[in-house]
Amino acid sequence: MPRDGTATKERILDAAEKLFETNGIAATSVDQIIEASGTSKGAFFHHFATKRALSQALVERYVEADLSMLAKGLDAVADVTDPVERVLGFLRFYERWAIELVSADSACLYLAVLTEKDLLDDTTSGAVERAIIGWRVEFAALLRAAFRARGLGRKVNADDLADHLFATFEGGYLLCRTFRSADPMRGQLRVFRQLVEGLLTA
């Protein structure tokens, strides 16, 4: 049976993601990625012309996985009719699965990419922006419906609060890495949910 090389490509991406998150992009060499992925130099350059091309492909994959996780949260509350309960159920979804989403040595690829200015280009930064805006638009829409239901109107900026959730995830990764535990992610998401719950149920 002919093989399309998909498995090899994914193995290279998996190895690169772990190395990038651990060591940074600039400090990770192509040879390290080849060794970690158990592939050959020929296989690497068959799939990726340069390390920059690999970085772009990896960010795109990461963004798609991120937006897929957003979609799962939205699907989990799609049948909830009360706007306030929909928001809180959306947040509980991630709080409940926080430990499974991260590990003790977790890091966020977005941070690794955005701090590597020599590797940052419009394609890569545009992909990260797509993820951030995707979360902002969808969560802010849930928030606005809940605000209207509670008569909060324009007292709270829904976009800013939605961005705060994204920032909470990023901060959670930092704490998990610092304390070598997955627990801080759940704790940070719980605190964020409690803050929103207090705002909506006061």
Side-chain angles (χ1 to χ4, degrees):
M1 293 290 289
R3 294 178 295 176
D4 62 6
T6 301
T8 300
K9 183 178 181 180
E10 289 301 310
R11 194 159 68 247
I12 293 171
L13 288 169
D14 289 342
E17 182 173 343
K18 186 173 182 179
L19 287 168
F20 286 175
E21 289 178 347
T22 302
N23 305 324
I25 298 174
T28 301
S29 68
V30 170
D31 286 341
Q32 287 175 310
I33 296 170
I34 290 171
E35 181 180 358
S37 62
T39 56
S40 66
K41 188 165 289 189
F44 180 94
F45 287 108
H46 171 74
H47 293 291
F48 307 104
T50 63
K51 190 169 77 170
R52 181 186 292 272
L54 167 66
S55 302
Q56 291 174 344
L58 189 55
V59 170
E60 285 290 345
R61 188 181 75 157
Y62 198 88
V63 167
E64 290 305 319
D66 193 9
L67 294 177
S68 176
M69 181 53 63
L70 167 63
K72 289 179 181 178
L74 293 171
D75 288 344
V77 296
D79 295 331
V80 179
T81 56
D82 180 79
V84 172
E85 285 305 313
R86 190 181 305 125
V87 166
L88 298 179
F90 178 79
L91 295 175
R92 289 191 191 100
F93 174 84
Y94 299 106
E95 184 183 342
R96 185 167 55 250
W97 289 100
I99 301 299
E100 287 73 19
L101 291 175
V102 299
S103 62
D105 61 349
S106 285
C108 181
L109 187 65
Y110 295 144
L111 295 176
V113 169
L114 293 174
T115 55
E116 302 278 358
K117 294 183 178 180
D118 58 326
L119 290 173
L120 191 61
D121 53 30
D122 290 343
T123 300
T124 304
S125 60
V128 177
E129 184 177 341
R130 181 162 65 91
I132 295 172
I133 292 177
W135 279 86
R136 177 193 297 165
V137 168
E138 296 294 346
F139 186 40
L142 298 183
L143 288 169
R144 288 190 181 95
F147 291 166
R148 287 194 297 270
R150 287 292 182 268
L152 293 175
R154 297 183 179 179
K155 294 180 181 179
V156 183
N157 188 302
D159 287 341
D160 287 345
L161 190 54
D163 285 346
H164 191 8
L165 174 60
F166 197 91
T168 298
F169 275 116
E170 298 306 305
Y173 277 113
L174 176 61
L175 291 173
C176 289
R177 189 69 176 274
T178 300
F179 296 113
R180 296 181 177 84
S181 168
D183 294 337
M185 181 64 81
R186 176 170 287 171
Q188 292 305 302
L189 291 172
R190 180 177 62 252
V191 168
F192 181 82
R193 188 259 305 162
Q194 290 170 337
L195 290 172
V196 173
E197 188 170 14
L199 177 66
L200 292 174
T201 60

